[in-house]
């Protein structure tokens, strides 16, 4: 689903994923395609469980390997298929050129090491082979000292005063907002080209979340880093991104430039999602979307949204809609769009 003439930095083509469960195989991603160009800010929205985070974990190589099968597709980074690479080649890209910030700052830091030790680890070993990266205690002194100096610099860049104190602290000694800033600093330390942000700041209070989003926006803008932001918060998407993908039940149902999507959503699911946003003035309760996400174990042959769609026809239940062009950089997977 390319939307730009510029070669994408990251391009996911028709990605399919299955999860093995006791009760059978769940088809959790079904032909997901999306792309991000250099310096672009792209959002991925959808309900919890729609496959947003899974798609990103597939990019980062973080899926549970025994239970997960890639049933088709490609994940291209600068034209190279990450799925076809060996671990060592892949690790030279993910974690360095492509990095991810997770939503829970508490679960993403090791509680038994100081921030300094964890950052030295990342910065000191980043250029070495993956097999040796866990050998933290073998870091030469001069390399460790240089890594610490760089770590202090990058902590200051994310707005943390007194970097030396932060480096000497354990995660539990910092507030949630500070831990999230530390994670952003770790992600940006090796000057990545693409930052994947999974619901950044969601675990924090709204004021701190707003500060974190502003920080991310400022940093990626200043450094020309592309960002792929996963969120269920449409306000965040509108504020930060240039282009949006809407996902439903393991499929991409619509993509458009952000302002166009908000002004003229065409897929019934996108329309329902936008109508679900509570309004403070004059709107009262939001309308919401009736029903729940479909069973991934026995997906319908047609449109996955059909059981919840007020406009579904017989054809929708039988035939899977393919993405159709609805305007410049605007694609919609719905039989209603001609
Ligand atoms: Fe609704 Fe049919 Fe469009 Fe699916 S294809 S969103 S069921 S109208």
């Amino acid at each position: 689903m390319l939307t730009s003439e510029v070669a994408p930095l990251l391009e996911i083509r028709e990605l399919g994923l299955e999860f093995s469960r006791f009760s059978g195989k769940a088809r959790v991603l079904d032909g997901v395609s999306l792309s991000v160009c250099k310096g672009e800010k792209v959002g991925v929205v959808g309900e919890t469980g729609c496959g947003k985070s899974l798609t990103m974990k597939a990019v980062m190589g973080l899926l549970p390997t025994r239970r997960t099968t890639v049933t088709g597709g490609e994940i291209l980074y600068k034209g190279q298929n990450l799925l076809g690479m060996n671990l060592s080649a892949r690790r030279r890209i993910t974690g360095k050129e492509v990095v991810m910030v997770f939503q829970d700052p508490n679960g993403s830091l090791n509680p038994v090491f100081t921030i300094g030790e964890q950052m030295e680890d990342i910065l000191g070993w980043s250029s070495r082979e993956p097999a040796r990266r866990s050998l933290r205690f073998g870091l030469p002194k001069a390399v460790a000292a240089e890594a610490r100096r760089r770590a202090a610099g990058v902590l200051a860049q994310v707005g943390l005063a007194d970097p030396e104190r932060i480096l000497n602290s354990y995660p539990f000694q910092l507030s949630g907002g500070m831990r999230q800033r530390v994670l952003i600093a770790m992600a940006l330390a090796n000057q990545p080209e693409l930052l994947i942000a999974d619901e950044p700041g969601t675990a924090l209070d709204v004021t701190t979340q707003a500060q974190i989003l502003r920080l991310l926006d400022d940093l990626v803008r200043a450094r020309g880093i592309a960002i792929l932001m996963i969120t269920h918060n449409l306000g965040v998407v509108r504020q930060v991104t240039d282009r949006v993908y809407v996902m439903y039940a393991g499929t991409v149902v619509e993509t458009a430039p952000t302002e166009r999507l908000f002004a003229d959503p065409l897929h019934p699911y996108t329309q329902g999602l936008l109508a679900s946003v509570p309004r403070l003035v004059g709107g009262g309760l939001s309308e919401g979307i009736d029903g729940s996400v479909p069973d991934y174990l026995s997906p319908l042959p047609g449109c996955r949204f059909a059981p919840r769609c007020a406009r579904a026809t017989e054809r929708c239940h039988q035939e899977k809609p393919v993405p159709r062009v609805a305007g410049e950089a605007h694609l919609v997977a719905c039989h209603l769009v001609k």
Side-chain angles (χ1 to χ4, degrees):
M1 202 182 272
L2 280 177
T3 55
S4 166
E5 306 224 328
V6 182
L9 193 59
L10 177 76
E11 186 183 3
I12 301 175
R13 285 187 189 162
E14 293 288 322
L15 184 65
L17 266 187
E18 274 183 358
F19 261 2
S20 296
R21 294 185 177 160
F22 286 120
S23 41
K25 289 196 185 292
R27 284 172 56 191
V28 287
L29 294 183
D30 184 18
V32 169
S33 296
L34 62 84
S35 64
V36 188
C37 293
K38 198 171 169 55
E40 199 181 17
K41 291 185 279 183
V42 174
V44 183
V45 296
E47 290 165 291
T48 302
C50 70
K52 310 183 293 286
S53 296
L54 265 185
T55 306
M56 302 314 145
K57 283 182 179 168
V59 173
M60 298 302 291
L62 296 175
L63 294 169
T65 45
R66 274 198 219 143
R67 289 196 296 126
T68 316
T69 311
V70 175
T71 55
E74 294 178 313
I75 300 175
L76 304 172
Y77 177 73
K78 293 183 177 171
Q80 288 181 286
N81 188 6
L82 297 180
L83 295 176
M85 286 182 187
N86 62 35
L87 186 64
S88 134
R90 191 166 180 168
R91 287 278 166 78
R92 276 195 282 274
I93 295 172
T94 53
K96 194 159 188 280
E97 291 189 39
V98 182
V99 293
M100 187 161 176
V101 176
F102 295 92
Q103 59 179 284
D104 178 13
N106 305 329
S108 304
L109 290 166
N110 192 324
V112 300
F113 291 112
T114 64
I115 301 300
E117 286 168 326
Q118 296 182 58
M119 291 193 76
E120 283 167 31
D121 220 19
I122 293 171
L123 288 163
W125 290 108
S126 59
S127 59
R128 298 168 189 237
E129 287 302 305
R132 298 184 60 202
R133 286 173 65 170
S134 62
L135 302 178
R136 211 179 57 76
F137 298 106
L139 208 58
K141 257 189 178 173
V143 177
E146 169 61 14
R148 193 170 177 91
R149 193 190 59 74
R150 283 175 58 202
V154 79
L155 286 175
Q157 284 170 27
V158 298
L160 285 166
D162 199 356
E164 270 307 318
R165 182 180 72 79
I166 304 287
L167 287 171
N168 289 325
S169 302
Y170 287 90
F172 76 88
Q173 294 173 304
L174 306 177
S175 69
M178 291 165 102
R179 286 194 288 264
Q180 185 79 73
R181 283 175 192 262
V182 166
L183 285 179
I184 293 170
M186 285 177 165
L188 298 182
N190 282 317
Q191 302 181 326
E193 296 209 35
L194 172 63
L195 172 71
I196 299 175
D198 186 357
E199 308 267 10
T202 302
L204 306 171
D205 63 78
V206 283
T207 317
T208 314
Q209 186 187 11
Q211 290 171 359
I212 294 295
L213 288 170
R214 256 199 312 277
L215 170 71
L216 267 179
D217 195 30
D218 290 348
L219 288 170
V220 295
R221 210 184 283 268
R223 296 171 175 220
I225 300 169
I227 186 164
L228 187 52
M229 183 173 286
I230 314 163
T231 182
H232 57 261
N233 186 330
L234 294 166
V236 167
V237 163
R238 194 166 197 176
Q239 194 186 331
V240 175
T241 65
D242 308 316
R243 199 155 57 80
V244 189
Y245 289 86
V246 182
M247 283 188 73
Y248 179 75
T251 62
V252 172
V253 296
E254 184 162 8
T255 181
T258 305
E259 278 315 311
R260 184 179 170 109
L261 188 96
F262 279 85
D264 188 20
L266 294 178
H267 195 282
Y269 175 69
T270 314
Q271 292 167 352
L273 205 60
L274 295 183
S276 302
V277 179
R279 296 170 198 89
L280 284 177
V281 183
L285 286 175
S286 56
E287 291 166 29
I289 305 170
D290 286 337
S292 54
V293 286
D295 182 5
Y296 288 102
L297 286 170
S298 47
L300 302 162
C303 173
R304 287 191 170 195
F305 189 56
R308 301 172 76 184
C309 182
R311 301 165 76 185
T313 62
E314 193 50 39
R315 182 185 177 199
C316 301
H317 290 277
Q318 303 303 330
E319 191 186 320
K320 190 181 159 186
V322 294
R324 289 188 172 82
V325 177
E328 197 183 341
H330 192 168
L331 290 102
V332 188
C334 173
H335 293 310
L336 293 177
V337 177
K338 303 294 176 203

